[in-house]
């Protein structure tokens, strides 16, 4: 198994720049980080190959796509067994409305981030989607009134 080299300062500049603008041309990226295009492209390919860059995506405006309601849902399972965890995870992966799902330690088992049209749409998701999962004992919903900070970039 090969040990991956930690990103150096130039790699970190590349990562920061691509997080800001993933569509930046290699020439613009090279100029921004102080390299010539060929070594810059080689570094980007290495960062992709080594798994530091896992993909590229556009950031979309949820309100323009009629997905203006953001809710967080705490989920408590009735049992914390491997089979219940597995069934829950498989079901959640099949729901497009669930943007994120995190298993957490503490007073509940999972924290979900759900994007939907409005409260009626969320009510449908709660009943039809989450309600279809065997093993959920309890949910608590928190509707977001205002998004103060939404950041996708990692501090590099």
């Amino acid at each position: 198994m090969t040990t991956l080299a930690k990103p150096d300062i130039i790699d970190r500049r590349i990562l920061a720049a691509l997080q800001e603008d993933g569509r930046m041309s290699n020439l613009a990226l090279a100029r921004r980080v102080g390299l010539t295009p060929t070594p810059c492209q080689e570094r980007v390919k290495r960062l992709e190959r080594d798994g530091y860059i896992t993909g590229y995506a556009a950031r979309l405006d949820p309100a323009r796509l009629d997905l203006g309601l953001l809710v967080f849902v705490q989920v408590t399972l009735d049992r914390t067994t491997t089979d219940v965890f597995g069934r829950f995870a498989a079901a959640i992966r099949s729901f497009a409305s669930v943007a994120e799902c995190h298993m957490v330690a503490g007073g509940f088992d999972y924290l979900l981030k759900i994007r939907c049209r409005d409260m009626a749409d969320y009510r449908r998701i709660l009943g039809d989607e989450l309600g279809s999962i065997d093993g959920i004992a309890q949910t608590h919903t928190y509707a977001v009134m205002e998004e103060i900070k939404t950041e996708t970039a990692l501090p590099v």
Side-chain angles (χ1 to χ4, degrees):
M1 186 167 162
T2 306
T3 302
L4 302 177
K6 292 214 181 260
D8 64 15
I9 189 69
I10 300 294
D11 291 338
R12 290 179 183 278
R13 287 183 189 147
I14 290 170
L15 294 170
L18 288 175
Q19 282 188 120
E20 188 178 307
D21 180 3
R23 293 180 56 166
M24 182 181 305
S25 71
N26 183 59
L27 181 60
L29 179 61
R31 286 181 180 152
R32 184 157 170 191
V33 301
L35 292 174
T36 58
T38 300
C40 182
Q41 186 173 25
E42 289 171 0
R43 282 178 178 255
V44 170
K45 287 182 188 228
R46 179 179 44 78
L47 290 165
E48 290 170 343
R49 183 186 63 242
D50 291 352
Y52 290 99
I53 298 172
T54 60
Y56 297 88
R59 289 182 297 232
L60 308 178
D61 183 338
R64 291 196 178 266
L65 295 167
D66 200 21
L67 295 170
L69 180 61
L70 174 60
V71 295
F72 290 92
V73 183
Q74 293 178 347
V75 176
T76 304
L77 300 178
D78 61 6
R79 293 177 320 284
T80 53
T81 61
T82 303
D83 63 317
V84 173
F85 287 148
R87 281 196 311 272
F88 179 82
I92 289 299
R93 285 185 189 103
S94 73
F95 300 144
S97 59
V98 177
E100 296 180 22
C101 175
H102 305 274
M103 179 186 267
V104 297
F108 57 96
D109 299 306
Y110 291 94
L111 182 63
L112 309 180
K113 178 180 176 181
I114 296 177
R115 283 267 179 205
C116 50
R117 285 188 306 279
D118 52 27
M119 202 48 88
D121 190 31
Y122 174 65
R123 171 62 183 92
R124 180 197 58 76
I125 291 166
L126 183 62
D128 295 347
E129 294 181 7
L130 296 180
S132 73
I133 303 173
D134 289 331
I136 293 180
Q138 189 175 20
T139 64
H140 291 280
T141 300
Y142 302 91
V144 174
M145 296 176 10
E146 179 182 6
E147 290 183 59
I148 305 301
K149 181 178 180 183
T150 302
E151 185 64 52
T152 59
L154 297 174
V156 293

